[in-house]
Amino acid sequence: MAAMDAIRWLNAQEQATWRSLLRAYSRIERLLDHDLQASNGLSLVEYGILVTLSESPESRMRMRLLADSVIVSKSRLSHQIARLERAGFVRRETCEEDRRGAWAVLTDDGRALLEAAAPGHATLVRDRVFDRLTPEQIQQLGAIMRALEPDDDAP
Amino acid sequence: MAAMDAIRWLNAQEQATWRSLLRAYSRIERLLDHDLQASNGLSLVEYGILVTLSESPESRMRMRLLADSVIVSKSRLSHQIARLERAGFVRRETCEEDRRGAWAVLTDDGRALLEAAAPGHATLVRDRVFDRLTPEQIQQLGAIMRALEPDDDAP
DNA sequence: CACCAACAGTTGAAATTTAAACTATATTCC
DNA sequence: GGAATATAGTTTAAATTTCAACTGTTGGTG
């Protein structure tokens, strides 16, 4: 009878850690987002889309896989790509193998934008994250995040 | 001449760690948000608002401080509180000491909602985060996040 | 083969979020 | 004291995001 099981609350340390994580991440995300917006008119998610495409074979990726890679609903991705397409940074191509599908393809303008945005972004990430941690902490953070990544039954 | 300084890119380990953090956090946030939405009709931010108010003296907090606590723009908080007020979970009171100000106050219904939502939420956080880490890792994560929290010049 | 459930992606409307302008009160400082 | 400036919060409109419904495939399965 599951309903009778005692709830395993977070203890004080866990609670403090959890809240610290929420706050730290929210602040950093907001800062990165505002910075990209101000300097290149991109949101953090759009930046992620461009990076992902740029590292993909032929600078292209199927919508579904792209959505999963940047952790975004397929509807949101569809709108997002529409915007990037209007701006000329991405184009869509129909997929011959699977005629339901579509490729999102990074354009030259998109790659140029990414290259313009990357240095400032990298500097900020370094500034706000890695320069504040010791080498051991960086290694620990990596191990911790890898442990949290697998999402058995994704929603 | 700052423009001539070499860009300090992330090295491979840092890059992998950073991406892992983005992915892990995004997934967890989305999961928590969907879960709260489905079970109690709350977003993660709204849940945070209720928690923060519930722990505040007299279950009340000034808008500005509340916005800073949950890391949200004051405009967004204003809308958010409007929604929670319409739903009866929060009410506004005018502030006598500073007549520009307003208190957001948790109502009894709001507290009841929070108490209904908390067990499931805590269980999910435990499930997705703390049960996947060793005690050392939990301690490390806390230290790391505390190191990242201070945002010298907040935007 | 023909049906039928699952999948890929888009769309339109509703809800939320952002950005900027605005109201009102406090504070500073000459 | 009073003008200038800063702060608290709201509001409006535009942009983004969500949600559910929808269009076409594709992949089994009897």
Side-chain angles (χ1 to χ4, degrees):
Chain A
M1 198 180 274
M4 293 198 66
D5 292 346
I7 293 150
R8 296 167 54 234
W9 295 100
L10 305 188
N11 66 35
Q13 184 198 16
E14 290 166 340
Q15 181 127 302
T17 298
W18 176 240
R19 294 191 183 188
S20 191
L21 171 58
L22 290 176
R23 277 194 304 272
Y25 188 93
S26 301
R27 286 229 184 82
I28 290 167
E29 184 181 47
R30 190 172 63 170
L31 178 67
L32 294 176
D33 204 84
H34 283 177
D35 176 70
L36 280 169
Q37 201 72 60
S39 55
N40 298 281
L42 286 173
S43 69
L44 189 55
V45 168
E46 289 173 325
Y47 181 83
I49 290 171
L50 299 186
V51 169
T52 305
L53 288 178
S54 80
E55 295 176 347
S56 209
E58 295 187 82
S59 303
R60 70 184 52 217
M61 203 178 239
R62 291 287 298 276
M63 295 294 280
R64 175 81 250 175
L65 183 56
L66 183 52
D68 289 345
S69 302
V70 297
I71 322 282
V72 128
S73 71
K74 63 202 175 106
S75 168
R76 179 171 172 186
L77 180 66
S78 197
H79 288 299
Q80 203 78 241
I81 291 290
R83 183 176 111 64
L84 288 170
E85 190 172 33
R86 279 197 300 281
F89 301 126
V90 167
R91 69 171 182 280
R92 278 185 245 235
E93 286 181 17
T94 61
C95 176
E96 297 308 332
E97 301 82 61
D98 182 341
R99 310 203 30 73
R100 294 170 300 184
W103 294 99
V105 188
L106 187 65
T107 65
D108 291 346
D109 279 3
R111 186 173 294 277
L113 176 64
L114 177 57
E115 280 165 11
H121 186 68
T123 299
L124 204 47
V125 172
R126 168 161 291 299
D127 221 59
R128 289 303 175 141
V129 181
F130 294 102
D131 280 354
R132 300 180 181 216
L133 302 176
T134 66
E136 296 76 41
Q137 286 181 315
I138 294 174
Q139 185 271 314
Q140 290 165 0
L141 183 59
I144 289 167
M145 289 304 147
R146 278 192 295 284
L148 299 186
E149 267 206 75
D151 60 341
D152 318 330
D153 47 49
Chain B
M1 197 180 272
M4 293 198 68
D5 291 345
I7 293 151
R8 294 168 54 237
W9 296 100
L10 306 188
N11 65 36
Q13 184 197 16
E14 290 166 339
Q15 180 126 301
T17 298
W18 176 240
R19 294 191 182 187
S20 190
L21 171 59
L22 290 175
R23 276 194 305 271
Y25 188 93
S26 301
R27 285 229 185 83
I28 291 167
E29 184 181 50
R30 190 173 62 169
L31 178 67
L32 294 175
D33 203 83
H34 283 180
D35 176 70
L36 279 170
Q37 200 72 60
S39 55
N40 298 281
L42 285 172
S43 69
L44 189 55
V45 168
E46 289 173 325
Y47 181 83
I49 290 172
L50 298 186
V51 169
T52 306
L53 288 178
S54 80
E55 295 175 347
S56 209
E58 295 187 81
S59 304
R60 70 183 52 217
M61 203 178 239
R62 291 287 298 276
M63 295 293 280
R64 175 81 250 175
L65 183 56
L66 182 52
D68 289 345
S69 303
V70 297
I71 322 283
V72 128
S73 71
K74 64 199 173 106
S75 168
R76 180 172 171 184
L77 179 66
S78 197
H79 289 298
Q80 203 79 239
I81 292 289
R83 183 176 111 63
L84 289 170
E85 191 172 34
R86 279 198 301 280
F89 301 126
V90 167
R91 68 172 182 278
R92 279 185 244 234
E93 286 182 16
T94 60
C95 176
E96 297 306 333
E97 301 83 61
D98 183 341
R99 308 201 34 71
R100 294 168 301 183
W103 295 100
V105 189
L106 187 64
T107 65
D108 291 346
D109 279 3
R111 187 174 294 276
L113 177 64
L114 177 57
E115 281 164 9
H121 185 68
T123 300
L124 205 47
V125 171
R126 169 162 290 298
D127 220 59
R128 289 304 176 139
V129 180
F130 295 103
D131 280 355
R132 300 180 181 215
L133 302 176
T134 66
E136 297 75 43
Q137 286 181 314
I138 294 174
Q139 184 272 314
Q140 291 164 359
L141 182 60
I144 289 167
M145 289 304 147
R146 278 192 295 284
L148 300 186
E149 267 207 74
D151 60 341
D152 318 331
D153 48 50

